[in-house]
Amino acid sequence: MANFKNPRANRPHLRSVSITGVGSQVPDRVLANADLEKMVETTDEWITTRTGIRERRIAAPDEATSDLAVAAARKALASAGITADQVDLIIVATITPDMPFPSTACLVQHKLGATRAAAFDIEAACSGFVYALDIASHFVASHTYNTVLVIGAEKMSSVVDWTDRNTCVLFGDGAGAAVLQNRPNAHGLLTTCLGSDGGKAGLLELPAGGSACPATADSVSKRLHFLRMDGKETFKNAVNAMVAAANEALSRCGVTVADVKCIIPHQANQRIMSAVAERLDAREDQLFVNVDRYGNTSAASVAIALDGAVAAGRIRRGDLVLLVVFGAGLTWGAALIEW
Ligand code: UT7
């Protein structure tokens, strides 16, 4: 087991916060690269070599973000050994809410039957799950709540421009959830490092549908309700920000990357993950990767991957786990956890 310092330990009025249950859900429908070859001018070879993605999951027309979130949440509650009525707070990280309001978290609260829970959404795009973990941890650490359910959930297929080959091959739908509680005699979440740079908001955005550009026939005809991305610039910023956030989290805890059992990066692109691993001096086999099967599921990405890593036996009690994320905003973050 790694020796580390716990930056939260010098605040004795706070209690530790552990992830006591995880779960995830992806839609049944598989959209393979071969299917995309029939939709836009692309090839399986281009997508695989440039991104590592082979297939992604696409939600049914009547399946909303909240449906995926609820299914993931039920599995997380079961894995924590608790029922919905024990949840004090639900935080949903998403950029594809069921609707602008009410929040997707409130819809999830009702569908789950979490009758005692407060609920709200947060939006930090692909970094949303780590942002939400950080927010949730403070409620538990400060004794405000005992049990917080954190969910990253997206129906990216509803905001992808299916005529734009630059972006439509990249994204998929899904949800991942985690239960946060105090586990006595465990360190749990050791530190989180978050950051943002709104000066680069234009690199990755969905321009219309908000107060700056409400929906009109013109905004629809200009396809402004779909996401747009400057892929190359986003790529560069992603690598730099993820490396910096990961190094900051490691140094705060007095450990090196070699002490980390499993690194779970945002699953945007295999090449981004490999570049981050190389710059961190991490071995490829320390990474958990599922981008080949699910593509980029935005806020759900590291949540689904965390559940996958636990299910695959890649993470055991006492291991150090590093989550590292990057997304629109720009936003980024890292979380170091003693599992
Ligand atoms: O989750 C939030 C963060 N998102 C990301 O981190 C994504 C970051 N960006 C990326 O992953 C990569 O930049 C992409 C995968 C989006 C693109 O890879 P790239 O190596 O940066 O390619 P590129 O944008 O430089 O495009 C190279 C060529 C272009 O053709 P020309 O201009 O060189 O003739 C594109 O038009 O590839 C073309 N291209 C495609 N060709 C076949 C772009 N998309 C496709 C496609 N199929 N789907």
Side-chain angles (χ1 to χ4, degrees):
M1 195 186 295
N3 265 328
F4 55 84
K5 67 174 191 265
N6 183 349
R8 297 184 174 213
N10 59 1
R11 287 173 284 174
H13 57 292
L14 299 181
R15 55 183 176 172
S16 69
V17 185
S18 293
I19 294 179
T20 57
V22 285
S24 66
Q25 175 77 15
V26 291
D28 292 336
R29 184 178 160 214
V30 175
L31 186 72
N33 291 349
D35 302 315
L36 283 159
E37 287 179 349
K38 295 174 201 137
M39 297 161 63
V40 288
E41 204 183 316
T42 191
T43 59
D44 172 47
E45 202 262 334
W46 191 96
I47 302 171
T48 309
T49 53
R50 305 309 291 165
T51 72
I53 301 167
R54 296 185 181 280
E55 58 187 42
R56 67 289 291 142
R57 300 298 182 97
I58 303 294
D62 63 352
E63 199 173 18
T65 295
S66 65
D67 297 313
L68 298 169
V70 166
R74 288 203 175 109
K75 292 176 192 171
L77 295 178
S79 104
I82 61 169
T83 50
D85 58 355
Q86 291 173 265
V87 175
D88 299 305
L89 173 67
I90 300 170
I91 306 176
V92 174
T94 186
I95 51 169
T96 51
D98 285 23
M99 58 192 85
F101 71 88
S103 70
T104 300
C106 282
L107 305 176
V108 169
Q109 179 272 335
H110 175 67
K111 290 182 191 182
L112 274 182
T115 46
R116 291 178 45 246
F120 62 86
D121 287 359
I122 68 121
E123 199 235 80
C126 303
S127 308
F129 186 73
V130 168
Y131 265 68
L133 272 186
D134 189 23
I135 296 165
S137 74
H138 296 294
F139 283 109
V140 177
S142 63
H143 302 256
T144 308
Y145 293 128
N146 289 323
T147 302
V148 182
L149 178 59
V150 174
I151 307 170
E154 303 281 15
K155 185 175 177 178
M156 294 303 288
S157 61
S158 66
V159 296
V160 159
D161 183 345
W162 291 104
T163 67
D164 175 14
R165 71 174 184 174
N166 290 294
T167 53
C168 76
V169 302
L170 303 174
F171 295 94
D173 302 335
V179 175
L180 268 64
Q181 295 176 307
N182 168 251
R183 182 190 283 144
N185 307 316
H187 291 279
L189 195 56
L190 297 171
T191 194
T192 41
C193 308
L194 306 180
S196 73
D197 181 1
K200 293 180 179 165
L203 289 185
L204 178 48
E205 62 176 358
L206 193 159
S211 59
C213 181
T216 60
D218 189 47
S219 70
V220 171
S221 74
K222 288 182 174 149
R223 309 186 78 73
L224 298 179
H225 296 269
F226 296 120
L227 73 80
R228 301 170 160 190
M229 176 169 69
D230 176 342
K232 260 201 188 342
E233 274 309 303
T234 305
F235 189 115
K236 277 188 244 163
N237 279 276
V239 175
N240 290 337
M242 289 167 80
V243 169
N247 277 329
E248 171 72 21
L250 296 172
S251 90
R252 277 192 204 173
C253 298
V255 294
T256 68
V257 77
D259 297 315
V260 176
K261 179 71 191 312
C262 189
I263 302 171
I264 302 187
H266 171 46
Q267 308 282 314
N269 183 325
Q270 176 63 56
R271 286 159 54 222
I272 293 178
M273 292 187 271
S274 297
V276 169
E278 195 185 325
R279 297 242 320 252
L280 287 176
D281 241 346
R283 301 182 317 272
E284 279 281 332
D285 67 9
Q286 284 175 280
L287 298 181
F288 184 83
V289 173
N290 65 15
V291 73
D292 50 324
R293 286 175 291 149
Y294 302 135
N296 180 349
T297 57
S298 182
S301 152
V302 286
I304 295 172
L306 182 61
D307 183 44
V310 171
R314 292 276 303 270
I315 303 174
R316 295 184 198 287
R317 189 69 67 85
D319 288 343
L320 286 184
V321 179
L322 178 66
L323 309 183
V324 56
V325 292
F326 176 85
L330 301 176
T331 54
W332 56 84
L336 190 63
I337 304 164
E338 187 210 29
W339 197 253

